[in-house]
Amino acid sequence: MFHKSKTVDMTEGAILPQIIAFALPLFVGNLFQQLYNTTDCFVVGKFLGRDALAAIGASSQFVFTVIGFFNGFSTGAQVVISQSFGAKNIRRMQGAIHTAIASAFVISAFMTVFGIFVSPLVLRAISVPQDVFDLADSYLRIYFSGIAFLILYNVGSGILRALGDSRRPFYFLVFSSVVNIALDLLFVLGLGLGIRGAAWATVISEGISIVPVFFVLMRGDELFRVRIKNLKIDIVILKEILRIGLPGAIASSLTAFSNTFIQKYVNLFTSSCAAGWAVFVRLDQFMQTAMMSIAFSAMTFVSQNFGASKTERIRQGIKSSLSLKLVFIAFLALMLFIFAGSLTSIFIDDEESIRYGSIFIRCTAPFYLLCAVCMFFAQVLRGLGDSLAPTIITFSGFVVLRQTFLFIATRLTPSFYVVSMAYPVVWIFTSTTMTCYYRFRYSKFELKA
């Protein structure tokens, strides 16, 4: 598993089996990555109570803000590596790999200091209730002390995925997720460390996850082997990574930051509402994981074939991937809608919190197909090297329109039902706009690498 080459050239062979084979371990692996925070949510909600669960909910979107920025950067690196791999330009590919890792170390140091310093400022800005403020602040500070582990894992596993290998990152992540569950139970229940124990369990688990990834990168296939002496930032390649990745990084970060301020509107209601929202956020991240897995699979497929100048294969891959995604997301959304109450009760026993969580889920579930379409075309466009337009569309909807809607609607009707519609309203706009742009830009355009 560690030494045998598992790179996959997606420029040849049957399309749909390749996409499924790539997306499945990516989905399950990302699902296990969600277990980091979901396990915290479950253990804290069941054993520490409503206030502790509300504290994790209050901090979650700020965490996604920081992670979203680096994931956008990682996407740019993955596109450059995939295109170079598809074009068989090994020298450029190796330069991109070493540049991405070297940049990750620099960004990790900055993100650690930034996160620890601004956490209390953000919590005050979103009006976190005083009874959960100290809990949320402690959780965030500990989480950001280990944010470098998550960043380095994401860039390392992203390199493997860019080369068509989504299985080994999955194996490594499953192992670290199991460790996280065990540590959550040990620290929270066994040692009585409370919410701080849940945070430390996450940090330690993330640290474990990077060990096998970098073992593979430094001892594996000669094609992508990382050498410490070659870890330097190639300015030309970095500019290309930033050209593709920076718009998405900024959009993802600002979107998550915008979602942080949804918490401010949630906080206008009771602690039960905040706890119900915290559960909804976890389940929403599960859906986002499912959508991103197929979208990233399509992006890798498109990137490699774009590098190989295989236009017709790109078109076929886009159609197959989109059909697969719509069927899969429709099924998951239906399950969420039907079992909203049961799923919420897994995390917390408070009846009022379960009611709020169920309402948030059922107001959102019917619209997940629209979000899936938007996300899919955004990643396909990035795989083709077009990152700016998807970023503008995403920012306009997920940030500007969402905050405008909440600002106006909550003043006209101060109801949590209005807050729960903030996601669907935006998805209607972004999916329509993204689809129109994609059809305008590419449906009648002869793609050229």
Side-chain angles (χ1 to χ4, degrees), residues 358-378:
S358 300
I359 290 172
F360 287 135
I361 293 169
R362 288 196 169 116
C363 286
T364 306
F367 298 90
Y368 272 118
L369 280 178
L370 298 178
C371 183
V373 169
C374 175
M375 191 177 295
F376 178 83
F377 283 128

Side-chain angles (χ1 to χ4, degrees), residues 78-90:
Q78 187 171 335
V79 169
V80 173
I81 293 168
S82 291
Q83 290 182 354
S84 301
F85 181 66
K88 306 300 186 289
N89 189 341
I90 305 304

Side-chain angles (χ1 to χ4, degrees), residues 266-341:
V266 172
N267 290 338
L268 295 175
F269 304 101
T270 64
S271 296
S272 295
C273 184
W277 177 260
V279 175
F280 163 73
V281 168
R282 295 293 173 243
L283 294 174
D284 177 68
Q285 284 300 305
F286 166 77
M287 292 297 294
Q288 298 295 327
T289 292
M291 288 185 274
M292 287 303 295
S293 298
I294 300 177
F296 271 114
S297 178
M299 185 190 75
T300 301
F301 178 89
V302 167
S303 296
Q304 287 194 14
N305 284 278
F306 185 70
S309 302
K310 295 194 174 183
T311 302
E312 185 55 35
R313 186 173 173 83
I314 291 175
R315 296 189 188 281
Q316 293 173 5
I318 290 173
K319 290 179 182 179
S320 298
S321 301
L322 182 58
S323 299
L324 174 67
K325 185 171 188 175
L326 292 178
V327 171
F328 186 44
I329 297 304
F331 171 76
L332 293 180
L334 180 62
M335 294 299 100
L336 270 183
F337 188 89
I338 294 174
F339 300 108

Side-chain angles (χ1 to χ4, degrees), residues 8-304:
V8 177
D9 187 345
M10 302 176 82
T11 63
E12 303 289 344
I15 294 175
L16 187 57
Q18 283 185 344
I19 292 172
I20 294 175
F22 185 92
L24 185 59
L26 182 59
F27 167 64
V28 180
N30 285 338
L31 184 59
F32 271 93
Q33 190 169 29
Q34 290 300 325
L35 280 178
Y36 284 125
N37 289 329
T38 302
T39 301
D40 290 347
C41 192
F42 172 79
V43 172
V44 167
K46 286 292 186 181
F47 300 106
L48 298 182
R50 184 182 61 193
D51 288 349
L53 180 59
I56 288 185
S59 63
S60 61
Q61 290 297 343
F62 181 51
V63 171
F64 300 149
T65 298
V66 177
I67 294 174
F69 178 85
F70 189 77
N71 282 349
F73 172 84
S74 184
T75 297
Q78 187 171 335
V79 169
V80 173
I81 293 168
S82 291
Q83 290 182 354
S84 301
F85 181 66
K88 306 300 186 289
N89 189 341
I90 305 304
R91 184 173 182 178
R92 182 172 183 264
M93 182 191 75
Q94 291 176 341
I97 289 172
H98 286 86
T99 296
I101 294 176
S103 301
F105 278 104
V106 175
I107 295 174
S108 295
F110 172 77
M111 290 295 189
T112 300
V113 176
F114 174 79
I116 293 174
F117 178 75
V118 304
S119 291
L121 303 179
V122 172
L123 293 175
R124 291 190 183 94
I126 62 175
S127 304
V128 171
Q130 196 58 43
D131 55 345
V132 302
F133 184 92
D134 289 340
L135 294 173
D137 187 41
S138 296
Y139 185 87
L140 275 177
R141 287 177 182 272
I142 294 172
Y143 189 95
F144 278 107
S145 70
I147 194 71
F149 296 140
L150 181 60
I151 291 175
L152 291 170
Y153 168 80
N154 282 343
V155 72
S157 60
I159 290 169
L160 296 176
R161 292 180 186 125
L163 304 173
D165 179 5
S166 61
R167 292 190 178 185
R168 284 185 293 193
F170 160 65
Y171 298 143
F172 305 150
L173 196 53
V174 168
F175 172 70
S176 63
S177 297
V178 171
V179 172
N180 180 57
I181 293 172
L183 291 178
D184 261 326
L185 296 174
L186 174 63
F187 291 168
V188 175
L189 300 183
L191 301 180
L193 298 179
I195 196 171
R196 295 176 180 84
W200 279 117
T202 300
V203 169
I204 294 171
S205 301
E206 289 171 350
I208 290 173
S209 70
I210 72 171
V211 175
V213 171
F214 275 85
F215 182 89
V216 168
L217 290 174
M218 299 180 73
R219 300 290 297 275
D221 196 323
E222 188 72 24
L223 181 69
F224 57 77
R225 183 171 297 177
V226 173
R227 293 175 172 80
I228 295 178
K229 65 179 182 180
N230 293 335
L231 281 178
K232 60 182 179 180
I233 298 176
D234 185 311
I235 298 301
V236 174
I237 293 178
L238 180 61
K239 287 181 179 179
E240 181 65 10
I241 291 174
L242 293 177
R243 183 187 70 80
I244 296 173
L246 190 58
I250 294 173
S252 297
S253 187
L254 289 177
T255 297
F257 190 68
S258 172
N259 290 343
T260 300
F261 283 87
I262 295 180
Q263 185 71 45
K264 183 172 184 177
Y265 293 98
V266 172
N267 290 338
L268 295 175
F269 304 101
T270 64
S271 296
S272 295
C273 184
W277 177 260
V279 175
F280 163 73
V281 168
R282 295 293 173 243
L283 294 174
D284 177 68
Q285 284 300 305
F286 166 77
M287 292 297 294
Q288 298 295 327
T289 292
M291 288 185 274
M292 287 303 295
S293 298
I294 300 177
F296 271 114
S297 178
M299 185 190 75
T300 301
F301 178 89
V302 167
S303 296
Q304 287 194 14

